[in-house]
């Protein structure tokens, strides 16, 4: 047996070849334009979670505080009956649906459709906590909230500017591509509070204070405008709003901004000149940019820099938001967001009428609750039921105490997952789902490539594919069609999402195609915005630097920033059930600058208490010189040290994302 499918971890979308009845051999697919046969440790060694003894195998209903095994019919009938009772009693907006970037396009499409047919826009997924600012920011400036080029096109770049991304750990195959290009003599500029592997080999490394991204980017644009390095022809022909931007960035002299950003002005000036002059230049970013209460403005500032230098619409140039989970791009494309219908149709727009005709139903036109708002609404009694698929918010979401209070206050909590996670343990009904290795469908990766996912193994016990469970629930609660296969669902997606209209299961296999795929671009579109923007002229946004939600003081005197490490992913649901990955990174830790540790009397490996204004936790100290003084870093994969207990509930006013990257804390030995 040999099956080509897609890696279930990060948004890079590496294609893998699995051989053997239990996946005894995993290799990279050599024909893939994404990974060219290469894989990281998670691709090679991270799939054994599929055969874990912890897998959910049978439907469960909670009775008298204990789960009991039931039949599928009983579980589906019970869950749908209770959900309908709540809708009839309190209204459709008393229920919410939480979708999953680990699931296929077809499954995310069904879940958001179910929510809308029920009558609510309370549908969201983890993009809210990672890349919702990318969607909001880039749609507002360029007209499309996605990467503007391909991974392969990075081979034509002369300059790479990486900000807020530890690429070699979070997206290792893309990180390896950058290293290869650097070895060929390309310019590499890295801006990050932490000294990463790429920072060590960069032409210029700018270490700056967490949360000062706008000030840094504006100071770079100050240099470009002040020295006349902008692409005036591009600006005149294809953009609007430049005069206002020019006036704003005049306030951000890099010398003056040193006091704000901590970034040496000479390095900022050199970096700005290289980005403007050594073109094409590609800008890559991840959650170091987005996970802020000013995340949308951070993304808009990146767009400003690309437009200012004409680094967009050409091979080797552009903006590359590196997506977190394997199908964050696709889940967003499918409309699993509270303010967007499929294909990024705003819930208030007239184009919703087109979807209403296709679905044969009047649809809600009011923005729903974002993921970051649902748990507070549940705690306040406004939300009575949540149907969650494939996520673990008790580990991954901000203000975990609020999440817990919200879940405990629900009248009905339905969880659909592959493991009994910390979150699933609070459910009233648990549906056992299939992994992506046990079903078919499509994922859309970080470069907009729609890729076919193929079934390799049978699910354990009575576990079912998520699309089947959603279809059965949808038929019961809102009259959804009795879909016979994922392909039938995908063919409906093609009628709703214009960028997918020309894609079929047949023509995207084996290596996928980048949307938009339509009659004008039957082979897909590698480079966006080559001749025109969807909104006509791209728009510069005037962005003023504003401080993060919280600041340090005499007591909370350190800034904690959070993220991932190389061996684990998200809440660790999969990676921590993989022997090799868990062996390499078995326990939580917090990185502390050596000088800070000496000042506080903390030894390497010592357990410390970390307190914020929102909570506290105990964790092992890891001393390093890769973190600047005054900053600490902790990965969020470990449920035994839930880092997000320390994160507050302040939100970006547009994208509704919390402030994960700037959390004032105190360390107590």
């Amino acid at each position: 047996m040999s099956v080509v499918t897609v890696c279930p971890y990060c948004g890079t979308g590496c294609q893998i070849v699995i051989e053997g009845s239990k996946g005894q051999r995993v290799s990279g697919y050599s024909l893939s334009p994404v990974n060219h046969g290469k894989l990281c440790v998670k691709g090679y060694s991270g799939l054994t979670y599929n055969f874990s003894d912890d897998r959910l195998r049978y439907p469960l209903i909670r009775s008298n505080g204990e789960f009991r095994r039931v039949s599928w019919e009983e579980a589906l009938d019970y869950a749908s009956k209770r959900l309908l009772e709540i809708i009839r009693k309190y209204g459709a907006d008393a229920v919410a649906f939480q979708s999953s970037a680990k699931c296929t396009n077809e499954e995310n499409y069904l879940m958001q459709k179910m929510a809308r047919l029920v009558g609510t826009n309370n549908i969201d997924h983890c993009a809210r906590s990672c890349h919702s600012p990318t969607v909001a920011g880039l749609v507002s400036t360029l007209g499309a909230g996605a990467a503007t080029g391909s991974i392969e096109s990075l081979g034509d770049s002369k300059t790479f500017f990486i900000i807020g991304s530890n690429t070699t750990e979070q997206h290792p195959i893309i990180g390896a591509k950058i290293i290869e290009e650097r070895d060929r003599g390309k310019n590499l500029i890295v801006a990050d509070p932490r000294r990463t592997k790429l920072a060590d080999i960069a032409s210029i490394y700018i270490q700056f204070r967490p949360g000062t991204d706008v000030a840094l980017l504006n100071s770079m644009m100050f240099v470009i405008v002040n020295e006349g390095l902008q692409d005036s022809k591009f600006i005149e022909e294809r953009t609007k709003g430049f005069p206002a931007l020019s006036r704003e960035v005049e306030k951000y002299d890099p010398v003056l901004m040193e006091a704000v950003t901590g970034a040496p002005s000479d390095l900022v000036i050199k970096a700005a000149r290289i980005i403007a002059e050594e073109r094409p230049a590609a800008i890559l970013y991840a959650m170091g940019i987005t996970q802020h209460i000013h995340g949308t403005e951070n993304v808009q500032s990146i767009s400003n820099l690309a437009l200012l230098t004409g680094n967009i619409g050409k091979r080797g140039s552009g903006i590359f938001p590196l997506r977190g989970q394997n199908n964050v791009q696709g889940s967003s494309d499918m409309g699993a967001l509270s303010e967007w219908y499929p294909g990024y149709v705003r819930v208030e727009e007239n184009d919703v009428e087109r979807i209403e005709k296709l679905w044969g139903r009047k649809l809600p036109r009011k923005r729903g609750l974002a993921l970051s708002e649902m748990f507070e609404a549940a705690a306040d009694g406004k939300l009575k039921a949540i149907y969650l698929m494939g996520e673990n918010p008790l580990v991954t979401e901000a203000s975990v105490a609020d999440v817990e209070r919200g879940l405990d206050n629900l009248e009905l909590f339905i969880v659909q997952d592959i493991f009994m996670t910390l979150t699933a343990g609070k459910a009233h009904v648990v549906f056992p789902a299939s992994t992506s290795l046990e079903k078919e469908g499509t994922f859309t990766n970080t470069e907009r490539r729609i890729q076919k996912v193929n079934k390799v193994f049978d699910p354990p016990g009575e576990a079912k594919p998520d699309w089947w469970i959603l279809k059965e629930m949808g038929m019961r609660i809102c009259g959804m069609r009795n879909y016979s296969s994922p392909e039938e669902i995908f063919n409906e997606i093609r009628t709703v999402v214009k960028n997918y209209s020309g894609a079929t299961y047949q023509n995207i296999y084996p290596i996928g195609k980048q949307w938009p795929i339509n009659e004008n671009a039957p082979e897909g579109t590698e480079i966006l915005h080559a001749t025109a923007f969807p909104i006509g002229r791209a728009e510069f946004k005037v962005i003023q630097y504003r401080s993060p939600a919280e600041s340090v003081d005499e007591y909370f005197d350190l800034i904690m920033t959070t993220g991932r490490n190389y061996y684990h992913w998200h809440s660790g649901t999969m990676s921590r059930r993989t022997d090799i990955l868990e062996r390499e990174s078995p326990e939580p830790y917090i990185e502390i600058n050596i000088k800070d540790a000496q000042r506080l009397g903390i030894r390497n490996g010592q357990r410390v208490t970390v307190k914020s204004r929102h909570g506290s936790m105990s964790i092992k100290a890891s001393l390093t010189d890769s973190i600047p003084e005054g900053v600490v870093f902790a990965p969020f994969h470990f449920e035994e040290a839930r880092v997000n207990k320390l994160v507050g509930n302040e939100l970006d006013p547009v994208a509704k994302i919390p402030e994960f990257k700037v959390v004032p804390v105190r360390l107590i030995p």
Side-chain angles (χ1 to χ4, degrees):
M1 181 189 74
S2 177
V3 181
V4 177
T5 189
V6 182
C7 178
Y9 281 101
C10 79
T12 303
C14 296
Q15 288 186 276
I16 55 178
V17 181
I18 301 179
E19 299 173 271
S21 61
K22 285 203 169 184
Q24 291 93 330
R25 176 175 161 78
V26 180
S27 57
Y29 185 51
S30 61
L31 299 181
S32 170
V34 175
N35 56 309
H36 296 282
K38 300 174 183 175
L39 292 176
C40 75
V41 68
K42 288 189 283 291
Y44 278 123
S45 306
L47 304 184
T48 57
Y49 69 87
N50 203 83
F51 308 103
S52 168
D53 291 338
D54 292 345
R55 286 288 302 277
L56 288 167
R57 288 167 165 77
Y58 306 101
L60 304 169
I61 291 178
R62 183 185 294 278
S63 298
N64 300 318
E66 301 289 333
F67 284 115
R68 63 181 176 89
R69 176 180 166 181
V70 297
S71 68
W72 268 109
E73 185 174 7
E74 182 179 352
L76 291 164
D77 286 347
Y78 175 83
S80 57
K81 180 182 177 182
R82 290 285 293 116
L83 203 56
L84 286 171
E85 287 173 351
I86 289 170
I87 291 169
R88 293 188 188 108
K89 184 175 180 180
Y90 302 106
D93 284 335
V95 302
F97 298 79
Q98 295 178 3
S99 207
S100 174
K102 304 305 295 179
C103 293
T104 64
N105 287 324
E106 293 79 3
E107 291 158 347
N108 281 282
Y109 177 81
L110 284 193
M111 181 164 253
Q112 65 80 32
K113 183 178 182 181
M114 184 192 306
R116 271 75 190 237
L117 293 183
V118 162
T120 184
N121 281 320
N122 292 343
I123 168 70
D124 216 22
H125 77 291
C126 72
R128 184 65 56 192
S129 302
C130 62
H131 273 286
S132 54
T134 288
V135 176
L138 295 185
V139 166
S140 71
T141 60
L142 308 179
T148 64
S150 68
I151 295 169
E152 272 201 320
S153 72
L154 295 174
D156 289 341
S157 303
K158 290 180 69 176
T159 298
F160 299 99
F161 177 36
I162 298 178
I163 181 169
S165 167
N166 188 357
T167 318
T168 55
E169 293 205 12
Q170 297 171 349
H171 302 86
I173 297 304
I174 297 176
K177 173 82 170 175
I178 302 300
I179 292 172
E180 287 177 8
E181 298 301 321
R182 175 64 178 145
D183 288 344
R184 293 172 56 197
K186 306 290 184 67
N187 301 300
L188 174 59
I189 300 163
V190 174
D192 201 295
R194 297 172 72 209
R195 177 174 282 277
T196 62
K197 183 175 180 179
L198 289 182
D200 285 338
I201 64 169
S203 322
I204 297 174
Y205 169 49
I206 302 172
Q207 192 169 57
F208 68 104
R209 294 192 181 102
T212 62
D213 308 83
V214 165
L216 175 64
L217 291 163
N218 277 355
S219 66
M220 296 174 78
M221 287 185 273
F222 168 94
V223 175
I224 293 166
V225 173
N226 208 43
E227 297 185 6
L229 301 177
Q230 69 270 22
D231 188 334
S232 299
K233 185 173 185 293
F234 180 89
I235 292 167
E236 183 178 348
E237 293 178 353
R238 301 196 58 192
T239 72
K240 61 181 178 181
F242 172 68
L245 175 83
S246 179
R247 289 191 295 272
E248 178 62 27
V249 300
E250 278 295 323
K251 306 170 187 175
Y252 293 84
D253 186 320
V255 176
L256 298 177
M257 286 300 105
E258 276 196 45
V260 175
T261 65
S265 57
D266 60 326
L267 297 182
V268 174
I269 292 167
K270 289 177 184 176
R273 288 171 178 163
I274 291 172
I275 292 168
E277 295 179 324
E278 297 294 318
R279 299 186 292 171
I283 306 173
L284 295 84
Y285 70 88
M287 285 174 283
I289 280 290
T290 58
Q291 286 188 325
H292 298 271
I293 63 163
H294 307 309
T296 302
E297 293 178 339
N298 289 348
V299 172
Q300 289 170 330
S301 294
I302 283 175
S303 180
N304 285 343
L305 179 60
L307 293 172
L308 184 67
T309 54
N311 274 306
I312 206 154
K314 310 177 192 70
R315 280 186 65 84
S317 72
I319 301 171
F320 294 82
L322 301 179
R323 299 293 188 162
Q325 295 200 56
N326 54 303
N327 201 33
V328 171
Q329 183 66 58
S331 308
S332 301
D333 295 345
M334 294 303 104
L337 292 166
S338 59
E339 68 271 45
W340 304 98
Y341 276 93
Y344 304 102
V345 175
R346 291 187 187 276
V347 295
E348 309 92 349
E349 285 181 4
N350 291 334
D351 201 34
V352 174
E353 294 176 4
R354 177 179 62 84
I355 301 175
E356 288 177 331
K357 290 176 182 176
L358 290 167
W359 289 354
R361 198 83 60 91
K362 290 295 290 183
L363 299 173
R365 298 295 189 92
K366 180 183 69 173
R367 178 174 179 162
L369 292 171
L371 180 66
S372 49
E373 299 171 317
M374 289 178 181
F375 303 106
E376 184 178 350
D380 291 344
K382 298 173 185 175
L383 205 59
K384 304 295 183 180
I386 291 176
Y387 183 175
L388 178 149
M389 173 175 71
E391 290 295 341
N392 192 10
L394 278 176
V395 177
T396 60
E397 293 308 303
S399 191
V400 166
D402 290 340
V403 176
E404 199 146 15
R405 280 194 295 271
L407 295 181
D408 288 341
N409 202 37
L410 290 172
E411 293 185 16
L412 178 66
F413 185 34
I414 304 167
V415 171
Q416 185 168 309
D417 213 324
I418 61 174
F419 292 111
M420 183 61 77
T421 63
L422 202 63
T423 302
K426 288 187 170 291
H428 300 104
V429 184
V430 176
F431 295 142
S434 301
T435 71
S436 65
L437 303 177
E438 298 165 350
K439 59 191 174 188
E440 73 168 1
T442 56
F443 292 152
T444 306
N445 78 343
T446 194
E447 57 170 2
R448 298 173 282 106
R449 186 177 299 275
I450 309 169
Q451 297 177 296
K452 181 71 167 57
V453 176
N454 294 304
K455 181 179 177 180
V456 186
F457 310 113
D458 290 326
E462 296 176 9
K464 297 285 188 181
D466 292 274
W467 72 266
W468 183 89
I469 305 169
L470 292 166
K471 179 258 297 188
E472 290 293 322
M473 282 293 290
M475 289 169 63
R476 285 167 169 79
I477 67 172
C478 58
M480 188 179 283
R481 284 171 53 189
N482 184 11
Y483 296 96
S484 61
S485 68
E487 186 171 10
E488 183 181 353
I489 302 165
F490 188 78
N491 286 334
E492 182 177 318
I493 291 169
R494 294 170 56 214
T495 69
V496 178
V497 181
K498 294 176 181 178
N499 284 333
Y500 284 58
S501 63
T504 67
Y505 271 20
Q506 292 70 41
N507 71 21
I508 64 171
Y509 188 76
I511 61 172
K513 293 182 179 181
Q514 290 176 264
W515 64 252
I517 309 164
N518 51 40
E519 59 183 13
N520 296 321
E523 296 306 311
T525 308
E526 182 183 19
I527 308 298
L528 291 183
H529 318 310
T531 58
F533 294 97
I535 54 175
R537 286 176 172 266
E539 186 171 348
F540 286 105
K541 296 290 184 179
V542 174
I543 308 297
Q544 299 177 351
Y545 167 70
R546 291 181 292 154
S547 300
E550 299 179 17
S551 303
V552 294
D553 58 24
E554 288 186 3
Y555 188 78
F556 297 108
D557 57 346
L558 297 167
I559 289 291
M560 183 187 76
T561 186
T562 69
R564 297 177 164 121
N565 74 19
Y566 178 59
Y567 294 102
H568 286 304
W569 202 253
H570 212 48
S571 69
T573 302
M574 300 186 318
S575 62
R576 298 201 69 197
R577 289 178 172 88
T578 299
D579 292 343
I580 291 176
L581 301 182
E582 181 68 357
R583 180 193 71 196
E584 294 300 319
S585 181
E587 60 183 347
Y589 57 90
I590 188 164
E591 294 181 354
I592 307 168
N593 179 274
I594 293 170
K595 292 182 180 178
D596 283 329
Q598 290 173 341
R599 174 175 59 85
L600 295 168
I602 295 171
R603 301 182 310 277
N604 192 51
Q606 176 183 344
R607 294 200 72 82
V608 297
T609 298
V610 188
K611 292 181 66 176
S612 78
R613 297 180 177 105
H614 312 283
S616 66
M617 67 175 182
S618 175
I619 196 168
K620 185 177 286 188
S622 175
L623 275 54
T624 177
D625 60 2
S626 67
I627 288 279
E629 288 184 69
V631 177
V632 296
F633 168 83
F636 66 89
H637 313 295
F638 303 90
E639 67 176 45
E640 60 267 43
R642 288 186 282 165
V643 172
N644 289 333
K645 290 169 66 175
L646 279 61
V647 178
N649 54 12
E650 292 288 323
L651 302 177
D652 179 307
V654 178
K656 306 296 183 182
I657 193 170
E659 181 76 83
F660 290 98
K661 299 301 188 193
V662 184
V663 182
V665 297
R666 182 177 184 84
L667 298 189
I668 303 172

